[in-house]
Amino acid sequence: MRRRILQSTLLVVAITALVLGGPLAVTTWQLVEDITRADLTSRLEVIAERLEEQPSAVDPATLALAVPATGRLTLDRPGEPSRSFGADTGADPVTETLPFAHGGTITLTEPRSIMRTQQVQVTVIVLLLVVISIGAGTIVATLTARRLADPLRDVADRAARLGAGDFRRTPHRHNIPELDRVSDVLDTSAAALAELVQRERALVGDVSHQLRSRITALTLRLDELAAHPDPEARREALAALEQTERLSDVLDELLEASRAARAAGAEPMDLREGLAAVVEEWRPALVQAGRTLRLRVPEGLLARVTPARIREAVGALVDNATQHGGGTVTISARSGDSLLVVEVSDTGPGIPEELVPHVFDRGVSVQSSTGLGLALARALVEADGGRLELSRARPPTFTIFLPAARADDVVAPRPPATTPR
């Protein structure tokens, strides 16, 4: 889009420069010649007045004052030889002739090269102004295209992240009312979707827990019936027990399919690179608050996660540390037993003892926030097969356990082709 805006604006500027610059250059060229001839004519009029005042005697000194330094004056009178004053003007000079009293004529010439030099100089100035106007138009077009295209790209990226499961709010605005309105709507939709996803996952967990409890209770009852002395009752109990086991397997398959669908976008991600994006996003807010954000992640840690989800989850933890914590916020990572461990900590006072068991519950918050961030962070981590825990309350440390990328997830680089000798 930026290219199209830039091209269309530059096309308008170029057409305007050609439509106005060409005729202006031609007009300026002709104007210099008209001014030169008008100057010669005005000089001839002065000379004619002096000749009429002195019809019999001609004072060369008086005439020389009205002749240009490089010009030549020719005086023709009836019955008298032609008289010339001034320097030679060469071939094809600029010539102006004026009659005066008693049938005489006076002719004033000037070298054409002088007029041509002036014409070239003025035309070059005009063309230079046209080039400057094109350059100014290019700068304005570039700034306008950037001002329009960059916000649209940001809004499109925000919508793409929202579709990928990144429900973080974006405080940045572009001072364009229409686009800022779209950003506000996206933020509102993100909050609603985050709460909806959290409720859906909580409902799935509650339903699965309740179903497993009822299936377990039903299995125990059927086990008792299977020991009944009546062969018919025992046979029916065994058949019902078999159906119950199948129901339990179907429930496991449905839950596994749900987890697989949520983790469909999982891919190997370099934690250092992915978490660096979170640091770049949140560092300005912490610096503005007089605090520090540090990243301590070694290279080579590859986790199999959905990039948008892990950034959302870690961003929610950093946001929580920004609002409720204090001091330096540190994001660190290390390799564990078949897992990767990411820790987000700060040096604040920590979490009150009474809130520790409920810190991940929806609606639980120390201050007047929504209490949704930590619950959503846990749901996002669990969607990728990970786990989020509060490993220490004071100073607060949240720990994320992520599945490491398998060897077959990473495409090995191809060896360079060898040329046979």
Side-chain angles (χ1 to χ4, degrees), residues 114-417:
I114 297 177
M115 184 185 68
R116 287 285 185 261
T117 301
Q118 294 176 349
Q119 287 177 321
V120 171
Q121 290 175 348
V122 176
T123 305
V124 167
I125 292 175
V126 171
L127 295 178
L128 183 61
L129 292 176
V130 172
V131 172
I132 292 175
S133 65
I134 294 176
T138 302
I139 295 174
V140 172
T142 303
L143 294 177
T144 303
R146 182 180 301 172
R147 175 171 171 78
L148 293 177
D150 288 349
L152 287 174
R153 186 181 294 108
D154 290 342
V155 172
D157 292 342
R158 177 70 183 97
R161 293 197 304 270
L162 181 61
D166 187 348
F167 302 130
R168 288 172 294 173
R169 295 177 61 87
T170 304
H172 179 63
R173 293 296 181 265
H174 308 285
N175 295 324
I176 300 177
E178 293 79 5
L179 293 180
D180 290 345
R181 173 60 179 162
V182 174
S183 298
D184 293 338
V185 171
L186 287 176
D187 284 345
T188 304
S189 301
L193 287 175
E195 187 172 359
L196 180 63
V197 169
Q198 177 61 19
R199 289 178 178 176
E200 179 266 336
R201 288 171 182 166
L203 177 62
V204 170
D206 294 341
V207 170
S208 63
H209 176 72
Q210 294 296 326
L211 286 176
R212 288 186 185 279
S213 299
R214 299 298 182 269
I215 290 174
T216 301
L218 181 60
T219 302
L220 293 175
R221 294 292 184 89
L222 292 176
D223 283 340
E224 294 178 0
L225 288 176
H228 197 276
D230 185 1
E232 185 67 23
R234 188 167 57 252
R235 185 169 53 254
E236 292 297 329
L238 291 174
L241 186 61
E242 182 180 356
Q243 293 297 326
T244 303
E245 291 177 353
R246 290 181 180 178
L247 179 60
S248 179
D249 293 339
V250 169
L251 178 60
D252 292 338
E253 291 176 0
L254 289 176
L255 292 176
E256 182 62 29
S258 177
R259 285 192 294 268
R262 290 197 301 266
E267 60 186 38
M269 186 190 79
D270 189 317
L271 284 181
R272 183 179 180 85
E273 180 180 349
L275 297 180
V278 179
V279 171
E280 290 299 323
E281 178 180 357
W282 286 97
R283 177 170 284 154
L286 286 164
V287 170
Q288 187 176 2
R291 299 170 61 185
T292 306
L293 178 59
R294 294 178 180 175
L295 179 66
R296 296 176 178 174
V297 180
E299 297 181 357
L301 294 183
L302 294 179
R304 182 171 179 77
V305 294
T306 305
R309 287 176 182 164
I310 190 61
R311 288 195 296 266
E312 162 76 5
V314 176
L317 296 177
V318 175
D319 184 24
N320 180 75
T322 303
Q323 294 185 18
H324 309 300
T328 300
V329 180
T330 303
I331 303 176
S332 60
R334 66 180 188 275
S335 178
D337 297 336
S338 70
L339 291 172
L340 300 181
V341 181
V342 178
E343 292 182 340
V344 179
S345 61
D346 62 80
T347 56
I351 300 173
E353 193 67 31
E354 63 274 10
L355 290 182
V356 170
H358 309 287
V359 70
F360 292 107
D361 294 345
R362 287 184 295 117
V364 176
S365 176
V366 178
Q367 300 176 0
S368 58
S369 59
T370 61
L372 184 63
L374 294 179
L376 178 60
R378 168 173 273 187
L380 291 174
V381 171
E382 291 176 350
D384 279 338
R387 190 171 76 256
L388 172 60
E389 297 178 355
L390 175 63
S391 56
R392 187 171 56 191
R394 285 182 296 274
T397 301
F398 291 89
T399 304
I400 301 175
F401 300 91
L402 297 174
R406 300 187 301 270
D408 54 355
D409 291 334
V410 182
V411 180
R414 296 183 178 180

Side-chain angles (χ1 to χ4, degrees), residues 22-150:
L24 184 60
V26 174
T27 302
T28 304
W29 183 278
Q30 185 62 40
L31 181 62
V32 171
E33 182 174 356
D34 293 342
I35 292 175
T36 301
R37 293 185 178 277
D39 179 65
L40 294 179
T41 302
S42 63
R43 290 176 179 271
L44 287 175
E45 291 175 351
V46 173
I47 295 173
E49 291 179 359
R50 294 180 180 179
L51 289 176
E52 290 177 355
E53 293 175 356
Q54 302 175 358
S56 57
V58 178
D59 185 6
T62 303
L63 296 178
L65 294 176
V67 178
T70 56
R72 184 179 184 84
L73 177 66
T74 303
L75 176 61
D76 293 315
R77 284 181 174 178
E80 296 183 6
S82 178
R83 302 176 60 183
S84 297
F85 306 89
D88 184 15
T89 55
D92 192 23
V94 181
T95 303
E96 287 295 322
T97 302
L98 185 69
F100 69 102
H102 307 294
T105 60
I106 48 177
T107 303
L108 186 60
T109 60
E110 190 176 36
R112 189 173 292 272
S113 60
I114 297 177
M115 184 185 68
R116 287 285 185 261
T117 301
Q118 294 176 349
Q119 287 177 321
V120 171
Q121 290 175 348
V122 176
T123 305
V124 167
I125 292 175
V126 171
L127 295 178
L128 183 61
L129 292 176
V130 172
V131 172
I132 292 175
S133 65
I134 294 176
T138 302
I139 295 174
V140 172
T142 303
L143 294 177
T144 303
R146 182 180 301 172
R147 175 171 171 78
L148 293 177
D150 288 349

